[in-house]
Amino acid sequence: MNFQENYDVIVIGGGHAGVEASLAAARMGSKTLLMTINLNMVAFMPCNPSIGGSAKGIVVREIDALGGEMGRNIDKTYIQMKMLNTGKGPAVRALRAQADKDEYAASMKNTVSDQENLTLRQGMVEELILDDEKQKVIGVRTSTGTQYGAKAVIITTGTALRGEIIIGELKYSSGPNNSLSSIGLADNLREIGFEIGRFKTGTPPRVLASSIDYDKTEIQPGDEAPNHFSFMSSDEDYLKDQIPCWLTYTTENSHTILRDNLHRAPLFSGIVKGVGPRYCPSIEDKITRFADKPRHQLFLEPEGRNTEEVYIGGLSTSMPEDVQFDLVKSIPGLENAKMMRPGYAIEYDVVMPHQLRPTLETKLISGLFTAGQTNGTSGYEEAAGQGLVAGINAALKIQGKPEFILKRSEAYIGVMIDDLVTKGTLEPYRLLTSRAEYRLILRHDNADRRLTEIGRQVGLVSDAQWEHYQAKMAQFDREMKRLNSEKLKPLPDTQEKLGKLGFGPIKDALTGAEFLKRPEVNYDEVIDFIGQAPEVIDRTVIELIETEITYEGYIKKAMDQVDKMHRLEAKRIPKNMDWDKLDSIATEARQKFKKINPETLGQASRISGVNPADISILMVYLEGK
Amino acid sequence: MTLTQEFDTIAAISTPLGEGAIAIVRLSGTDALKIAQSVYKGKNLAQVASHTINYGHIFEEERLVDEVMVSVMRAPKTFTREDIVEINTHGGIAVTQEILQLLLRNGARLAEPGEFTKRAFLNGRIDLAQAESVMDLIRAKTDKAANIAVKQLDGSLSKMINNIRQEILESLAQVEVNIDYPEYDDVETMTSQMLLEKTAHFEQLLENLLSTAKRGKILREGLKTAIIGRPNVGKSSLLNQLLREEKAIVTDIAGTTRDVITEFANIGGVPLELVDTAGIRETDDLVEAIGIERSKKALAEADLVLLVLDASLELTDKDLELLELSKNANRIVLLNKTDLPEKLDINQISGDFIRISALKNENLSAVEEKINQIFFAGEIEAKDATVLSNARHISLVEEALKALKEANNGLALGLPVDLIQVDVTRCWQLLGEITGEAAPDELITQLFSQFCLGK
């Protein structure tokens, strides 16, 4: 084969999955090429201008702990930061940032460009080059005919894969935001034999900031207390002049406009064929499904510091443009707003994810990986998390090293990938905290504790990050030790102080840790009794201490479950398992097993439609092998 | 399914039901000894030698359930290569089932079909060549169990479970929406107080369901009733009255070691299984000591105790002894012989009593009413009530209830709602195991159908 250049890893697509995949592979020593249709759209955010949120914010921290880039990049380019769910338990707190879209993309592009071992190039890949047996990928061919050799290829094409934009009666071939649609590659994947699905998503209109009457809306400021995604970012760098978002609502009039034009809505006229997400319905969908709701919340989110564009969160729509003009004007604060871009729906091809291994390598073609929206997810964070896992595994495979699979008990990323490859998905998949069975363990405050060591092992965590992490853990251990030895004694002045704070007197001496175990007691109150530590304790260490001690019982209960589960995850099913040989299992189970080809007993047990008896039989069979 | 169940301590009745005089309840797993000990009074099982059989009694808290022999076999020289405890009961079906339920309530899980054999195999106790037959056994037993379960899962029960599950699901979805869409202002935030009200309500629903299990058992099997009292107080006449008044069925249970005659009387729709009626007839004329001994024995086996006192005489020491013996049982004190002048000092009797005349058949309806009150909280309308009867179902509901109680404890401690959610979710999942395979992503589906969310 005549290759222009040879690489270890080629990544197709420079979105949020693609940049993480290529950075990870390059940082692990693989000679990597990142191909993108448009060099001006690297790490582009085609929809909402925010990163993080419930569950997703924890994913960003996980990416950071593993040595990925998303957390660092948003910490450099946010315009507002907010910790969500502060009034709730520690397991569900999560950080969300409003991003400066242009800066985010520019900063990430610089990181990619500066990365050693990594080449960034514009070009459209139209075909995968396979070996003679058609079992292994060996390179790619672009629309201009150039051929590149590769030991592994990662497809991260997002909504560009046979993308089609729909606005009202209008439908045209396009990637996100009127970029080129990737059709050759989509055809090629079908030819190779992949099962391809068709999904749909959408985005709301954008309006001109100076045309908004903010007096009619409600301000939504960021937090004053510092917080960042990356464990390496410093509180001192916390942004003071944050830009607020604004809250407004749809009106009866908005709903009338939509209702009067429903016959023209592509969603209902039959133009939209793809499956849309339930969690991100368009406004026309909302007023139909929840017809009795008099109004819907809308968030006006600035897209950056140096742009006038404002994103109308909650108003995703593919109604005809003339309807969108009227719709925008029906909203308080937007009466005179100038629409800068209309909303649209986009349909795209998806590689149905049950065809993937937990490493995100396709079962069909060795060395071929897929990640991000291509696998049926939605969201920048979900994409980035998969990109990272695919990039790491591509590099490890080339180096002949063991695979990298995050367990459900280790990371939300592990939950997501296990869900995708075990259960598949029938609609765009979004991470929700309820998808995790161990959410008390998968917290934002312990993401580094869960994953830094793993990231270090695969070779992605830098020396600086590793040292920073070790110092933090050493401090955590020292302070835990102190809390477990320093005591509150039942002396008169202690009792009096307790009384003043509203606590009952104590009978016996108790350690600081035992006192902190009471849900109503916090770290500062304990310090009040046992005295300050001889060093300045980092606030993130304090948060970790409080959670670990207060919820110790629940955490332990969850960990017991995790330990048992791990013993079963360790029971591997042979690669070339002949499911027909297992004649005692139910027919439905056999069909499912054949389709998914689970790799462990644990994975097999999570397939829907498989019952305990089938798993029992499988267990006996494996033991008998 | 949750695979972690593989490590549970399992229990099952391992002798065919309804046959033979002895039944065996078997426990296998790490906690087998601990769980057995928690319901057993006798030797300290943790300290007895392996492969020994030990005499003792099974108690449900203070109530004696049965006199048993307990075999202790420690790993690895056992069938499953785990610790095994076998409880040999000599009660009938009802007592054996009761002991099983008791073990399940104390931490054991009901064994899946073929699970003991499966463990034996997985732990290397059975030859690898037998793998195939083990697989077939699991399949065959599962199919059979499934048939039975389907038969026992009547429409009204599954409807009731589904209703409770749906209610729980709606609460869960509300908690989830608060977490995943914290800025969504149209949905009320689920506070601890609100959740506590919900869990208390769910708890009530499950308690009601469980009480039907008890009622169901009584209606099916009868209330084991002992008539006790010292000689000549009128036990025989009471017995004859009960039997004469209603259609009496006299059964001779063959094959039992003790030649006991059991007779049934139907009191206001409740079948009373009168224990040791032969004894009453025989011993009324014998020496007092034997009467007391038999009373004690009958007392130990009974669900209901009718203590007969002779109101025409002062209380004797024996009367007082019987009063004391039966004070913790479901007891009705009957002051018999109201046809004669009353000499008995009622201040010596603690609690309620009913005056009757067995001879003249007076006031027996009050007895009927009292039974109804004790066992059905006054509601006899059990005709169409949903009844929980399958042992697996009962243990699942009990587990679900336990999870709810943990949720309540957490709420009382002031823990955040999203932590409490863990226990409520578990309750919901356990109930789902009664009605069968839960639909995938049930909660997420509920979330998006109940609330209008989106970017």
Side-chain angles (χ1 to χ4, degrees):
Chain A
M1 197 67 66
N2 186 16
F3 290 130
Q4 180 71 32
E5 287 169 346
N6 281 294
Y7 289 92
D8 292 326
V9 178
I10 294 177
V11 180
I12 307 170
H16 304 281
V19 294
E20 293 292 350
S22 57
L23 284 170
R27 285 169 179 170
M28 286 168 69
S30 295
K31 189 182 170 197
T32 305
L33 172 68
L34 174 57
M35 294 290 291
T36 172
I37 287 178
N38 185 343
L39 262 185
N40 298 330
M41 287 178 72
V42 174
F44 177 71
M45 304 169 101
C47 196
N48 56 323
S50 70
I51 298 271
S54 184
K56 292 161 174 268
I58 302 178
V59 169
V60 180
R61 285 239 161 131
E62 290 174 352
I63 292 170
D64 186 66
L66 288 165
E69 199 59 34
M70 182 173 250
R72 280 158 229 183
N73 200 58
I74 183 65
D75 282 355
K76 285 187 259 179
T77 57
Y78 65 96
I79 56 173
Q80 186 197 106
M81 193 70 83
K82 199 168 191 171
M83 184 65 82
L84 304 175
N85 290 335
T86 48
K88 303 193 181 81
V92 297
R93 275 172 219 149
L95 203 52
R96 188 189 58 206
Q98 296 301 134
D100 185 312
K101 275 191 177 183
D102 291 340
E103 268 195 53
Y104 184 90
S107 164
M108 187 65 93
K109 188 178 170 188
N110 280 339
T111 304
V112 170
S113 308
D114 292 347
Q115 178 62 46
E116 197 187 338
N117 288 333
L118 179 54
T119 304
L120 175 63
R121 183 167 294 152
Q122 181 162 302
M124 191 193 294
V125 172
E126 295 225 304
E127 197 185 337
L128 300 173
I129 303 171
L130 307 181
D131 68 346
D132 293 343
E133 285 78 37
K134 302 219 177 297
Q135 287 180 350
K136 197 175 150 206
V137 66
I138 57 167
V140 302
R141 184 177 296 118
T142 68
S143 58
T144 51
T146 309
Q147 302 190 134
Y148 298 100
K151 292 174 185 151
V153 172
I154 305 173
I155 301 177
T156 56
T157 43
T159 55
L161 204 60
R162 206 192 299 281
E164 282 180 295
I165 281 183
I166 302 155
I167 305 174
E169 292 86 358
L170 190 66
K171 184 171 188 172
Y172 57 93
S173 177
S174 171
N177 198 33
N178 293 339
S179 57
L180 287 176
S181 172
S182 174
I183 294 166
L185 186 62
D187 288 339
N188 186 226
L189 288 172
R190 255 178 235 265
E191 278 159 28
I192 290 171
F194 284 106
E195 186 186 327
I196 302 295
R198 192 94 176 134
F199 282 2
K200 178 221 111 173
T201 188
T203 196
R206 318 293 203 270
V207 292
L208 184 73
S210 59
S211 66
I212 299 173
D213 181 358
Y214 287 111
D215 290 345
K216 295 188 177 159
T217 67
E218 198 180 305
I219 192 162
Q220 305 274 301
D223 289 344
E224 279 178 25
N227 260 309
H228 286 110
F229 281 101
S230 174
F231 290 98
M232 298 284 284
S233 297
S234 162
D235 279 358
E236 283 151 33
D237 297 334
Y238 191 63
L239 196 65
K240 296 282 182 294
D241 62 328
Q242 300 196 1
I243 300 178
C245 295
W246 306 86
L247 174 64
T248 182
Y249 296 90
T250 58
T251 58
E252 262 314 316
N253 190 19
S254 323
H255 299 192
T256 308
I257 293 166
L258 288 166
R259 231 172 268 127
D260 288 349
N261 288 282
L262 271 187
H263 59 286
R264 297 171 65 203
L267 200 60
F268 302 110
S269 67
I271 294 180
V272 167
K273 299 264 190 311
V275 186
R278 280 171 300 176
Y279 50 81
C280 190
S282 57
I283 189 70
E284 53 268 34
D285 204 4
K286 287 190 221 174
I287 63 140
T288 313
R289 278 171 47 203
F290 295 91
D292 52 336
K293 274 198 70 170
R295 62 177 198 175
H296 295 271
Q297 276 177 315
L298 301 173
F299 291 94
L300 304 178
E301 305 173 43
E303 296 216 329
R305 213 171 267 284
N306 300 311
T307 174
E308 285 281 305
E309 270 190 88
V310 173
Y311 174 96
I312 312 177
L315 203 68
S316 172
T317 183
S318 57
M319 292 299 275
E321 200 168 7
D322 60 290
V323 179
Q324 293 192 32
F325 275 115
D326 292 343
L327 178 63
V328 165
K329 290 194 190 313
S330 72
I331 294 159
L334 302 184
E335 294 87 349
N336 300 306
K338 292 193 170 116
M339 187 162 74
M340 292 180 77
R341 304 181 202 221
Y344 62 81
I346 184 164
E347 283 187 343
Y348 53 98
D349 277 4
V350 165
V351 174
M352 296 311 265
H354 67 268
Q355 303 169 94
L356 305 174
R357 300 196 41 233
T359 56
L360 296 182
E361 186 177 17
T362 63
K363 291 170 194 165
L364 199 57
I365 304 292
S366 172
L368 180 66
F369 296 77
T370 61
Q373 220 151 358
T374 308
N375 291 347
T377 59
S378 89
Y380 312 138
E381 305 81 359
E382 283 90 343
Q386 289 172 68
L388 185 69
V389 170
I392 291 173
N393 274 307
L396 289 173
K397 188 178 168 103
I398 292 164
Q399 294 162 7
K401 289 186 182 158
E403 296 170 339
F404 169 74
I405 296 169
L406 289 171
K407 299 188 186 81
R408 296 183 72 88
S409 53
E410 284 173 338
Y412 269 98
I413 299 173
V415 172
M416 167 176 64
I417 293 177
D418 183 67
D419 278 351
L420 289 172
V421 305
T422 305
K423 297 175 189 155
T425 183
L426 297 172
E427 66 178 339
Y429 177 98
R430 182 204 147 147
L431 263 177
L432 297 160
T433 59
S434 54
R435 298 199 195 263
E437 56 275 61
Y438 309 116
R439 73 180 170 200
L440 186 55
I441 296 171
L442 306 183
R443 306 188 310 269
H444 85 111
D445 63 282
N446 70 349
D448 53 348
R449 208 160 170 235
R450 288 184 272 130
L451 299 168
T452 311
E453 205 163 331
I454 297 176
R456 182 71 175 172
Q457 268 166 20
V458 300
L460 209 47
V461 167
S462 66
D463 291 346
Q465 187 180 351
W466 181 239
E467 278 156 26
H468 183 270
Y469 166 71
Q470 283 189 312
K472 178 179 165 184
M473 282 306 116
Q475 187 177 70
F476 171 79
D477 290 341
R478 280 194 301 275
E479 187 59 358
M480 279 296 254
K481 204 173 153 197
R482 195 176 77 92
L483 286 168
N484 275 300
S485 55
E486 298 288 328
K487 285 183 175 151
L488 284 76
K489 301 195 176 103
L491 301 170
D493 54 333
T494 303
Q495 306 287 34
E496 193 189 333
K497 216 155 143 191
L498 282 167
K500 270 186 196 157
L501 285 167
F503 300 118
I506 51 173
K507 273 191 232 130
D508 306 305
L510 75 170
T511 64
E514 282 163 346
F515 186 47
L516 184 53
K517 204 164 275 172
R518 300 183 182 181
E520 69 277 15
V521 176
N522 63 32
Y523 175 82
D524 286 342
E525 285 162 335
V526 177
I527 295 308
D528 229 24
F529 288 93
I530 68 165
Q532 287 286 347
E535 58 187 318
V536 179
I537 307 292
D538 192 80
R539 69 169 172 84
T540 61
V541 172
I542 294 173
E543 186 181 3
L544 193 57
I545 286 174
E546 283 182 335
T547 309
E548 294 279 332
I549 291 182
T550 311
Y551 302 106
E552 194 187 4
Y554 279 84
I555 292 173
K556 200 181 160 297
K557 212 158 77 176
M559 284 310 293
D560 286 348
Q561 288 293 310
V562 168
D563 287 344
K564 288 175 179 174
M565 200 66 208
H566 281 186
R567 282 154 71 180
L568 293 152
E569 290 303 339
K571 288 193 197 289
R572 297 200 64 86
I573 298 171
K575 258 199 176 99
N576 46 2
M577 176 84 189
D578 183 356
W579 297 106
D580 287 322
K581 268 195 182 158
L582 260 184
D583 39 51
S584 305
I585 55 170
T587 313
E588 188 188 355
R590 195 195 327 281
Q591 285 167 352
K592 291 275 174 69
F593 286 151
K594 276 182 166 177
K595 183 177 172 188
I596 308 290
N597 259 309
E599 299 192 3
T600 66
L601 207 53
Q603 192 191 353
S605 74
R606 288 188 294 273
I607 299 173
S608 63
V610 170
N611 66 44
D614 298 318
I615 295 299
S616 281
I617 291 165
L618 178 57
M619 242 174 145
V620 171
Y621 176 83
L622 292 175
E623 197 65 31
K625 286 284 284 184
Chain B
M1 72 166 280
T2 43
L3 257 191
T4 51
Q5 294 190 342
E6 290 297 333
F7 306 100
D8 294 347
T9 293
I10 52 173
I13 297 169
S14 59
T15 41
L17 278 181
E19 296 164 34
I22 289 182
I24 297 175
V25 182
R26 181 193 274 165
L27 276 163
S28 176
T30 329
D31 292 334
L33 286 164
K34 203 179 91 193
I35 294 169
Q37 188 73 62
S38 65
V39 301
Y40 167 83
K41 280 188 187 156
K43 287 179 197 160
N44 182 350
L45 297 177
Q47 280 166 14
V48 303
S50 184
H51 295 77
T52 56
I53 188 154
N54 308 278
Y55 173 79
H57 295 90
I58 299 292
F59 276 85
E60 182 184 11
E61 285 161 19
E62 294 305 309
R63 188 178 65 85
L64 177 67
V65 178
D66 199 15
E67 177 186 38
V68 295
M69 299 295 284
V70 174
S71 311
V72 170
M73 290 159 280
R74 290 203 176 79
K77 284 188 181 169
T78 68
F79 177 58
T80 56
R81 292 215 165 154
E82 302 173 325
D83 284 352
I84 285 186
V85 173
E86 289 183 349
I87 300 173
N88 297 257
T89 75
H90 47 12
I93 300 168
V95 169
T96 311
Q97 288 277 17
E98 202 177 339
I99 292 174
L100 175 64
Q101 289 297 343
L102 208 50
L103 294 171
L104 299 180
R105 225 173 290 146
N106 281 278
R109 168 173 64 75
L110 189 65
E112 297 288 338
E115 199 168 6
F116 288 104
T117 315
K118 184 184 93 178
R119 288 191 176 193
F121 173 78
L122 291 176
N123 294 327
R125 174 70 170 71
I126 301 182
D127 200 304
L128 283 188
Q130 293 172 300
E132 202 126 314
S133 59
V134 175
M135 290 190 270
D136 289 342
L137 170 88
I138 294 170
R139 167 58 54 206
K141 283 207 168 193
T142 306
D143 291 344
K144 195 173 151 202
N147 280 338
I148 293 171
V150 166
K151 269 190 212 149
Q152 296 202 351
L153 183 66
D154 72 2
S156 57
L157 175 63
S158 67
K159 198 169 156 195
M160 183 161 174
I161 297 274
N162 284 335
N163 286 345
I164 300 177
R165 285 193 86 227
Q166 182 60 29
E167 275 194 54
I168 298 176
L169 188 61
E170 283 165 19
S171 302
L172 289 175
Q174 194 177 341
V175 175
E176 292 301 330
V177 82
N178 291 158
I179 294 167
D180 279 325
Y181 295 87
E183 284 160 334
Y184 181 72
D185 66 353
D186 278 15
V187 51
E188 220 176 342
T189 301
M190 178 76 91
T191 60
S192 299
Q193 190 51 43
M194 282 164 68
L195 190 59
L196 193 61
E197 277 165 30
K198 298 266 186 196
T199 52
H201 168 62
F202 302 146
E203 209 179 316
Q204 191 57 53
L205 290 175
L206 293 186
E207 295 271 18
N208 289 349
L209 191 55
L210 269 182
S211 71
T212 70
K214 197 169 118 196
R215 189 193 309 166
K217 177 176 163 265
I218 293 168
L219 292 176
R220 242 182 1 265
E221 294 162 7
L223 264 181
K224 221 169 230 202
T225 306
I227 302 174
I228 62 168
R230 63 185 173 79
N232 293 324
V233 291
K235 296 198 294 291
S236 296
S237 358
L238 176 64
L239 177 67
N240 289 333
Q241 204 57 261
L242 289 173
L243 293 177
R244 195 184 311 136
E245 193 181 51
E246 301 295 335
K247 247 186 282 169
I249 312 152
V250 180
T251 333
D252 189 356
I253 299 176
T256 52
T257 46
R258 291 168 299 163
D259 191 18
V260 173
I261 304 272
T262 303
E263 299 180 66
F264 287 90
N266 191 334
I267 302 293
V270 182
L272 297 192
E273 183 190 348
L274 299 163
V275 179
D276 195 17
T277 51
I280 294 172
R281 291 189 174 109
E282 284 164 21
T283 56
D284 246 17
D285 301 325
L286 292 182
V287 284
E288 271 189 14
I290 298 174
I292 295 287
E293 275 317 300
R294 290 198 86 124
S295 292
K296 275 189 193 168
K297 196 159 195 172
L299 192 65
E301 292 171 9
D303 298 319
L304 169 68
V305 174
L306 300 177
L307 171 58
V308 188
L309 302 173
D310 186 341
S312 69
L313 299 169
E314 285 178 19
L315 283 177
T316 69
D317 288 350
K318 291 293 167 198
D319 287 328
L320 291 170
E321 190 182 341
L322 286 171
L323 275 165
E324 178 65 23
L325 270 176
S326 62
K327 71 174 180 205
N328 290 322
N330 280 318
R331 178 184 73 179
I332 302 175
V333 178
L334 301 173
L335 304 188
N336 193 22
K337 306 193 187 176
T338 50
D339 43 317
L340 301 173
E342 184 166 307
K343 288 199 179 145
L344 184 145
D345 177 9
I346 55 166
N347 294 322
Q348 282 180 281
I349 303 167
S350 60
D352 292 350
F353 51 83
I354 299 172
R355 290 192 175 88
I356 58 163
S357 167
L359 204 65
K360 299 256 167 88
N361 194 12
E362 274 172 18
N363 212 19
L364 285 177
S365 62
V367 179
E368 190 176 298
E369 213 162 274
K370 185 77 185 167
I371 292 173
N372 185 8
Q373 225 173 58
I374 294 175
F375 291 92
F376 305 104
E379 30 168 327
I380 193 68
E381 289 303 320
K383 274 173 274 168
D384 297 312
T386 297
V387 168
L388 205 55
S389 61
N390 178 299
R392 189 175 156 268
H393 297 164
I394 294 173
S395 80
L396 284 167
V397 173
E398 284 186 337
E399 276 291 301
L401 197 57
K402 219 190 264 176
L404 274 184
K405 292 201 162 127
E406 277 179 40
N408 288 340
N409 288 343
L411 283 167
L413 279 173
L415 292 169
V417 165
D418 47 275
L419 269 188
I420 307 304
Q421 171 99 331
V422 176
D423 291 318
V424 183
T425 306
R426 181 165 159 70
C427 167
W428 174 70
Q429 282 166 340
L430 285 161
L431 293 178
E433 284 180 34
I434 296 177
T435 48
E437 189 78 11
D441 290 342
E442 232 176 316
L443 176 58
I444 287 163
T445 305
Q446 178 67 30
L447 192 65
F448 294 118
S449 59
Q450 192 172 339
F451 304 107
C452 175
L453 306 161
K455 294 197 287 190

